[in-house]
């Protein structure tokens, strides 16, 4: 069921959005305000007509968008040279997922089957031709009133229960044939999958291998955590080894050294050293006096004092 109709740059509509009621929606108003353009927009989206007069004057393209109550959005975009459809499907995993967008181009005047299946507004095929029973033209009388009696008879014949049952039978036969073909295809696919599964038979032992791998991983993790402490221990061990090597070298050198001589009484030596220090002090004093008297002249020569004594 159509929930919303949006028309942009289509005939007299620049941007129009209509919210349809759950039941019947009636559009009323004066002439030439765009009521028929709304119906013509829906018709264009359903039948994809070829005329280009539907584009609003001055616009590059026209757009008709239908939002269905099931969540799909169908857009029909008409430009001067071509028309294309855009189908937006809601994401199945939830509203936070991005919707699926698909475009149908290079269609000519045809309508994609996906669009027709969603809209369910296609023409009804009868023996006298196909009839549009969903969208009426305001230039023509009410449905079938201006049609020949053969058309009306064909339509009502196509609407009888017999015709409906025949169509159901044909649809059921098609579904059965499709189911048989799908069953055959699935059987072949099952055989192929069984052959593929045989290649994975060694996976039965994968549990024990995984358990062993997890234990190895845990051991590696613990060793990895202990690496800094081990590095510090190795550093200290290297320093200690270097000290031991030095001590061994010192011990090797000291092994060749003779033991010191025995100690003797040093009391006489101490008295001698004290006397030596005293004599050294006197010598230093005499040296100082000698340096002080060095600049003086020698005394005059002595004369014979006997004559003087006699005098």
């Amino acid at each position: 069921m159509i929930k919303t109709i949006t028309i942009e740059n289509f005939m007299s509509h620049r941007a129009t959005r209509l919210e349809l009621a759950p039941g019947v929606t009636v559009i009323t108003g004066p002439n030439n305000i765009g009521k028929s353009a709304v119906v013509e927009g829906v018709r264009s989206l359903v039948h994809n007509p070829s005329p280009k007069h539907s584009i609003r004057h001055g616009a590059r393209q026209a757009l008709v968008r239908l939002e269905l109550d099931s969540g799909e959005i169908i857009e029909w975009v008409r430009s001067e040279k071509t028309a294309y459809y855009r189908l937006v499907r809601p994401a199945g995993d939830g509203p936070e997922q991005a919707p699926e967008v698909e475009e149908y181009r290079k269609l000519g005047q045809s309508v994609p089957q996906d669009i027709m299946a969603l809209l369910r507004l296609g023409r009804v095929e009868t023996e006298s031709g196909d009839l549009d029973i969903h969208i009426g033209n305001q230039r023509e009388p009410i449905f079938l009133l201006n049609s020949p009696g053969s058309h009306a008879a064909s339509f009502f014949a196509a609407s009888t229960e017999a015709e409906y049952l025949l169509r159901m039978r044909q649809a059921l036969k098609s579904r059965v044939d499709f189911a048989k073909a799908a069953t055959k295809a699935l059987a072949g696919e099952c055989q192929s999958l069984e052959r593929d599964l045989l290649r994975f038979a060694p996976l039965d032992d994968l549990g024990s291998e995984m358990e062993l791998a997890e234990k190895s991983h845990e051991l590696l993790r613990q060793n990895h955590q202990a690496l800094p402490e081990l590095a510090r221990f190795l550093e200290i061990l290297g320093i200690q080894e270097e000290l031991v090597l030095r001590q061994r070298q010192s011990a090797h050198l000291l092994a060749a050294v003779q033991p010191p001589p025995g100690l003797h009484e040093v009391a006489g030596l101490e008295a001698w050293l004290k006397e030596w220090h005293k004599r050294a002090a006197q010598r230093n004093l005499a040296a100082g006096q000698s340096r002080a008297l060095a600049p003086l002249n020698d005394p005059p020569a002595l004369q014979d004092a006997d004559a003087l004594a006699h005098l």
Side-chain angles (χ1 to χ4, degrees):
M1 186 176 113
I2 300 175
K3 182 179 178 181
T4 304
I5 301 175
T6 302
I7 301 175
E8 297 178 1
N9 296 322
F10 183 85
M11 299 181 68
S12 60
H13 292 269
R14 184 177 64 84
T16 302
R17 177 181 172 87
L18 299 176
E19 299 283 347
L20 303 187
V24 177
T25 300
V26 180
I27 302 175
T28 63
N31 294 333
N32 297 325
I33 64 170
K35 301 188 301 297
S36 301
V38 175
V39 180
E40 188 63 26
V42 177
R43 184 202 304 277
S44 298
L45 185 143
V46 174
H47 299 306
N48 190 21
S50 57
K52 297 178 291 185
H53 64 273
S54 58
I55 302 176
R56 180 181 172 86
H57 179 70
R60 298 177 59 184
Q61 63 182 19
L63 179 141
V64 179
R65 181 187 300 112
L66 299 183
E67 182 179 353
L68 307 182
D69 57 356
S70 56
E72 291 87 357
I73 298 175
I74 302 172
E75 294 182 352
W76 175 76
V77 182
R78 180 76 202 186
S79 61
E80 294 183 358
K81 296 182 179 180
T82 183
Y84 68 91
Y85 285 86
R86 182 184 294 112
L87 175 60
V88 181
R89 299 180 185 271
D93 296 336
E96 67 277 2
Q97 299 294 329
E100 301 178 4
V101 181
E102 187 173 1
E103 291 189 355
Y104 304 86
R105 296 180 180 269
K106 298 181 180 181
L107 300 170
Q109 297 183 18
S110 63
V111 181
Q113 292 297 325
D114 294 344
I115 304 298
M116 296 299 297
L118 287 172
L119 291 175
R120 293 180 293 177
L121 296 176
R123 294 176 176 270
V124 177
E125 297 181 359
T126 65
E127 296 179 356
S128 303
D130 56 348
L131 298 174
D132 188 357
I133 66 173
H134 301 287
I135 303 175
N137 193 336
Q138 66 176 357
R139 298 183 180 86
E140 298 178 0
I142 300 175
F143 172 64
L144 291 180
L145 290 183
N146 65 330
S147 301
S150 59
H151 289 183
S154 299
F155 170 73
F156 288 113
S159 303
T160 59
E161 293 183 359
E163 180 68 19
Y164 180 69
L165 291 176
L166 289 175
R167 290 190 179 184
M168 287 185 61
R169 179 181 177 184
Q170 184 63 31
L172 180 60
K173 183 178 182 302
S174 299
R175 292 179 61 183
V176 171
D177 294 340
F178 177 78
K180 289 181 178 179
T183 302
K184 184 177 180 180
L186 289 175
E189 185 178 356
C190 287
Q191 293 179 357
S192 177
L193 291 175
E194 287 177 356
R195 289 192 298 268
D196 293 338
L197 287 175
L198 291 177
R199 295 184 299 174
F200 295 99
L203 293 179
D204 295 337
D205 300 331
L206 186 61
S208 58
E209 296 294 335
M210 288 295 296
E211 183 178 359
L212 180 60
E214 289 178 356
K215 292 181 179 178
S216 301
H217 179 268
E218 179 64 22
L219 182 60
L220 288 175
R221 187 185 65 81
Q222 295 176 359
N223 292 337
H224 181 72
Q225 292 179 351
L227 283 178
E229 187 66 26
L230 180 60
R232 290 192 294 270
F233 175 75
L234 290 176
E235 183 179 359
I236 296 173
L237 182 60
I239 295 173
Q240 295 297 329
E241 288 181 350
E242 185 177 356
L243 292 176
V244 170
L245 180 60
R246 291 180 180 178
Q247 293 294 336
R248 288 179 178 177
Q249 292 176 352
S250 299
H252 179 71
L253 294 175
L254 293 174
V257 176
Q258 297 294 331
L263 299 179
H264 298 280
E265 183 64 31
V266 295
L269 182 60
E270 289 179 355
W272 182 84
L273 285 175
K274 186 180 295 185
E275 184 64 22
W276 181 82
H277 285 302
K278 181 178 179 181
R279 297 294 177 88
Q282 292 176 355
R283 181 181 61 83
N284 292 335
L285 178 61
Q289 293 175 352
S290 176
R291 286 193 300 272
L293 296 176
L296 299 179
N297 295 324
D298 293 333
L302 298 178
Q303 300 294 329
D304 187 9
D306 290 337
L308 183 59
H310 176 73
L311 178 59

